[in-house]
Amino acid sequence: MRSGAPAAWLLALALGTATAAEPAHPWVTLPAPLPQPETYFTNLQDGARIETPFRLKFGLSRSGLAAITKDVRDTGHHHLLVNRDLPLDFTKPLPFNDQYRHFGKGQMEAVLDFPPGTYTLRLLLADHKHIPYFIYSEPMTITVTAKNDKVDPKTLTRSGVELLAPRDGELVAAPFRMQFHASGLNVSHTAITDTGVGHFRLVAQPRSGAAERIAFTNGATEAWLRPPAGDYTLKLELVANAGGAVMASSAPVAIKVSR
């Protein structure tokens, strides 16, 4: 349980926390102590000063994404709360307005277009009916110093996927955390077969031997891995839930797993 929870946290827990099962692969693990499910921002920290438009990236731990077109157990979709506290009643759906921004297609980012000022942001995961789970981020306060009206917000989004962590050339100790991102593309559990929706697949090529492929069919956007020590080239793919075609591939990332 995270600090700062509203008094209704017991009700939220009663509704479940959308904790997704990990993919069945011997490399996939979880760290100890076991982290709580949470949402977070991957490219912005509390106290940041930015200019808009700004592309804000979302992260999610120990749960999966799914578009709202179908009820899929242990999944949800992101909501961006702008200058709003967590709801007092976790049994009611979140409203639709500028302070509760919904990403029901399985999006992992938003382009902020705020005018200059100070804003408090928070991510909250909710189910297909927009009823929130007890999975959220800490509040983050940012300052917008300028809005560049000459920049078209649409130009900040280019369809593709990337490995946010680990970074190219990094030496890591197992287990290590992997963070995925999709821009201009929608991520969902494979139960969602809408056109243009996919799930992540990791391809790990060791220096010698066959590549390992790990499909995150549960809509997960991060994972903890414990591969054997050695050198690997990693590539992230987004695979269409309908048909299995590769929709996008990341640039290769070379890492070394220590002994």
Side-chain angles (χ1 to χ4, degrees):
M1 291 176 287
R2 300 181 56 79
S3 62
W9 66 267
L10 285 172
L11 289 173
L13 287 177
L15 292 174
T17 54
T19 303
E22 301 300 317
H25 189 280
W27 290 7
V28 178
T29 186
L30 283 171
L34 189 65
Q36 290 290 331
E38 67 172 344
T39 57
Y40 57 93
F41 301 105
T42 63
N43 66 333
L44 200 60
Q45 281 95 34
D46 186 49
R49 299 173 65 85
I50 64 169
E51 295 184 2
T52 57
F54 181 89
R55 185 163 60 103
L56 181 61
K57 301 177 182 180
F58 308 153
L60 175 62
S61 293
R62 297 197 58 220
S63 191
L65 292 178
I68 62 173
T69 52
K70 187 176 182 180
D71 181 10
V72 182
R73 183 179 177 180
D74 298 334
T75 65
H77 64 285
H78 287 297
H79 298 76
L80 178 63
L81 278 56
V82 181
N83 295 335
R84 298 294 302 183
D85 292 328
L86 290 172
L88 294 177
D89 189 346
F90 273 63
T91 67
K92 294 182 179 179
L94 298 171
F96 283 78
N97 56 48
D98 286 343
Q99 291 185 300
Y100 294 89
R101 304 190 180 192
H102 294 240
F103 299 90
K105 296 179 180 180
Q107 304 99 311
M108 292 188 66
E109 63 183 21
V111 176
L112 304 182
D113 57 356
F114 303 147
T118 300
Y119 301 87
T120 299
L121 307 178
R122 190 169 216 156
L123 281 175
L124 177 61
L125 197 74
D127 69 10
H128 69 296
K129 293 182 178 180
H130 313 285
I131 297 174
Y133 293 113
F134 194 65
I135 302 177
Y136 56 85
S137 69
E138 297 290 351
M140 177 179 69
T141 300
I142 64 167
T143 299
V144 176
T145 59
K147 182 179 181 182
N148 299 314
D149 292 324
K150 294 182 179 180
V151 176
D152 183 354
K154 294 180 181 179
T155 63
L156 300 186
T157 302
R158 297 182 180 180
S159 295
V161 298
E162 60 182 319
L163 271 171
L164 300 180
R167 297 186 179 184
D168 191 44
E170 189 172 351
L171 174 65
V172 296
F176 58 90
R177 186 185 193 185
M178 302 203 65
Q179 294 173 297
F180 315 145
H181 186 74
S183 179
L185 298 165
N186 301 324
V187 179
S188 283
H189 189 290
T190 52
I192 305 294
T193 56
D194 301 346
T195 301
V197 173
H199 63 278
F200 287 118
R201 181 170 67 191
L202 179 69
V203 181
Q205 178 65 60
R207 179 171 289 182
S208 61
E212 293 283 341
R213 289 175 168 81
I214 307 173
F216 295 89
T217 57
N218 59 350
T221 61
E222 70 166 47
W224 288 83
L225 294 190
R226 191 188 294 274
D231 297 304
Y232 295 88
T233 299
L234 308 177
K235 183 176 68 172
L236 184 67
E237 299 174 334
L238 191 70
V239 180
N241 289 350
V246 176
M247 302 167 63
S249 298
S250 73
V253 172
I255 65 167
K256 184 178 184 66
V257 180
S258 63
R259 296 187 183 277

